[in-house]
Amino acid sequence: MIGLLSSQSKLIQGAPFAGPPWQRAAALLALALLAQITVLHYFTFRNAECSPVLVVVVWYAIASDFRRATIFGVCAGFLEDALSGGTGGAWTASTAVTAFFTAMLSRSFFSDSIPLLAAILVVATLLRNAIFWWMMEIQGYPTGVGYVHFHQTLWQAGYNALFMIASVLFSRYYVKGARE
Amino acid sequence: MTALIALIQLSAARGIRTSPLTSLTADFTSLFELVVGTATSELRSQVREAASVPHLWGENALLRAENRRLSAENSRTQAMLAAYSAEQALQPVIDESARAIPSRVIGFPPENELEVATIDRGARSHVSRDDGVLNGDGVVGRIIQITPFTSRVLLITDYTSTIPAVVQRGHWWCIVKGNLNSLHLEYVSQDAHLRIGDRVVTGEARSFHSGALIGRIVRIERTDAGLYQTAVVRPAVEFGSLDRVVIVPK
């Protein structure tokens, strides 16, 4: 889907797309999703679980334009909704909005520094979870449960930031170092 | 000199006694015999050991390989035993209901936002919405979503889970609500004399038959001003190691 729309957006925008290929992003998303529904459940702390899916979405949103980022966010959120059970379209909407705002935000600066990436991820986690619980309340979930999960959200933001830092360091020193 | 020595030896032989020269020579050489004999014996044992080293290497390698094989077999046996024990733990639950459907937990929600588990039975296995799910320890949850091959179980620890329950000792009715890692017993009459350790079981309701164990009371919260008293219940099921469950259609 992203591949089809990317060819259209290339004509509209006029500049060649220089971000990561959507196939790589899709493969990373699939791996992250598989890890989250199976293995990572057993590595929760304070009931918070690291979200590699959000890390992949933020990474793609930073590296690409807002149109591709939003589509990628919609796909990632839809898959999470399909595998969650009882969340309706909450993850779809929250992940899409988060990807959109991350892509818009990253246009105004060069987001290459690790602390900046970690900060973006923390904000993205808080924003996404806030939208998610708001959407759940709209869909009929008991009011106020989102506030109960706020502590969990803070922990998840920390884990996501650590995961992003580890992934960036691994990519810089091992993957690129091996290629050289 | 020679004649003297010969004379002494002959004299001793004729007198059937040990010649002093013989005795002196024997004592003197025995010392050397002892040293040489000890050294020779030690050398022989060392040589024997050195000769057996190649054989020991081969035997050691065989024993290591056998040890690895037996360790792997032991691990497999332990895993089979654990699986068999888990299946056997479900047998009383399966025997209670003719339509019980054994199942396994295969996944969890991606973001851990809800206390839900995915199991490997769905509509094709005649699973219905709101069917109760139990395991060998007690109540696990109820079915909230069904696909042809899988189902999602809302665990009793979820915030939205509410189960009609009974404190078994005094048959006091109450509602059990999920509270993430524990359960909250609510709407218990002020007349009920709850005790720590009381068993809390399901009441007859939409998803469960009565009598299935939910947990035990660990703390009682009672105020004189309240209409009802509440309590905290520790679930009977270990949700951290949830694996095999049974769907019990009602």
Side-chain angles (χ1 to χ4, degrees), chain A residues 36 49 51 80 141 148 156, chain B residues 108 110-111 113-114 159 180:
Chain A
Q36 276 192 232
E49 184 180 321
S51 177
E80 288 200 310
Y141 209 67
V148 178
Q156 189 183 44
Chain B
F108 299 93
E111 302 286 340
E113 71 282 2
L114 303 176
Y159 285 116
L180 214 55

Side-chain angles (χ1 to χ4, degrees), chain B residues 99-118:
Chain B
R99 295 190 297 145
I101 306 167
S103 173
R104 290 195 73 170
V105 174
I106 58 172
F108 299 93
E111 302 286 340
N112 207 37
E113 71 282 2
L114 303 176
E115 296 294 303
V116 169
T118 305

Side-chain angles (χ1 to χ4, degrees), chain B residues 29-232:
Chain B
T29 56
S30 68
L31 182 66
F32 289 97
E33 278 178 349
L34 180 67
V35 171
V36 173
T38 306
T40 306
S41 166
E42 196 61 36
L43 189 63
R44 282 176 64 190
S45 67
Q46 293 288 336
V47 168
R48 206 177 298 125
E49 279 180 22
S52 67
V53 162
H55 170 70
L56 287 176
W57 280 343
E59 198 174 329
N60 194 29
L62 286 173
L63 287 171
R64 281 180 190 272
E66 183 72 8
N67 188 33
R68 276 195 298 271
R69 187 185 69 79
L70 289 172
S71 294
E73 195 174 319
N74 186 39
S75 299
R76 280 195 301 272
T77 308
Q78 293 292 335
M80 286 169 60
L81 182 65
Y84 176 75
S85 301
E87 282 180 19
Q88 285 299 104
L90 293 178
Q91 201 56 44
V93 182
I94 294 171
D95 291 340
E96 278 180 20
S97 171
R99 295 190 297 145
I101 306 167
S103 173
R104 290 195 73 170
V105 174
I106 58 172
F108 299 93
E111 302 286 340
N112 207 37
E113 71 282 2
L114 303 176
E115 296 294 303
V116 169
T118 305
I119 59 175
D120 63 352
R121 292 283 185 267
R124 288 173 66 99
S125 302
H126 308 292
V127 176
S128 307
R129 190 182 164 84
D130 289 333
D131 281 348
V133 180
L134 311 171
N135 76 350
D137 295 327
V139 176
V140 172
R142 63 181 176 87
I143 304 289
I144 57 167
Q145 193 181 73
I146 306 171
T147 64
F149 296 101
T150 62
S151 303
R152 303 248 152 56
V153 180
L154 181 72
L155 305 180
I156 57 172
T157 48
D158 189 78
Y159 285 116
T160 58
S161 170
T162 55
I163 305 175
V166 172
V167 180
Q168 200 172 41
R169 185 173 54 86
H171 219 79
W172 299 298
W173 281 88
C174 52
I175 298 290
V176 169
K177 291 188 176 180
N179 196 27
L180 214 55
N181 292 321
S182 62
L183 304 169
H184 219 227
L185 205 65
E186 294 184 358
Y187 304 112
V188 186
S189 167
Q190 287 280 15
D191 298 331
H193 302 289
L194 299 178
R195 288 185 205 160
I196 305 290
D198 277 346
R199 286 166 55 98
V200 180
V201 298
T202 55
E204 193 72 28
R206 183 175 57 191
S207 298
F208 302 100
H209 288 290
S210 59
L213 179 64
I214 296 174
R216 291 182 183 272
I217 294 176
V218 294
R219 192 170 77 236
I220 301 166
E221 297 161 348
R222 182 179 179 160
T223 58
D224 292 332
L227 286 175
Y228 302 100
Q229 56 179 324
T230 60
V232 176

Side-chain angles (χ1 to χ4, degrees), chain A residues 23-140:
Chain A
Q23 296 93 335
R24 192 199 301 176
L28 287 174
L29 179 65
L31 278 173
L33 204 56
L34 192 63
Q36 276 192 232
I37 61 173
T38 52
V39 177
L40 289 181
H41 176 81
Y42 300 103
F43 292 93
T44 57
F45 182 70
R46 300 292 181 98
N47 289 311
E49 184 180 321
C50 178
S51 177
V53 168
L54 181 61
V55 172
V56 171
V57 167
V58 167
W59 160 74
Y60 190 77
I62 287 172
S64 62
D65 54 77
F66 69 91
R67 195 192 310 269
R68 288 183 176 84
T70 307
I71 294 169
F72 191 74
V74 167
C75 296
F78 172 74
L79 289 171
E80 288 200 310
D81 275 327
L83 293 168
S84 284
T87 55
W91 283 126
T92 307
S94 59
T95 312
V97 170
T98 304
F100 175 80
F101 277 112
T102 305
M104 292 295 285
L105 190 67
S106 67
R107 291 174 68 182
S108 40
F109 51 82
F110 189 61
S111 49
D112 195 36
S113 74
I114 291 178
L116 192 58
L117 287 174
I120 291 173
L121 199 48
V122 166
V123 172
T125 306
L126 296 174
L127 175 68
R128 182 175 175 238
N129 280 23
I131 298 172
F132 170 77
W133 287 112
W134 178 65
M135 290 290 300
M136 289 291 283
E137 285 184 15
I138 290 175
Q139 290 172 162

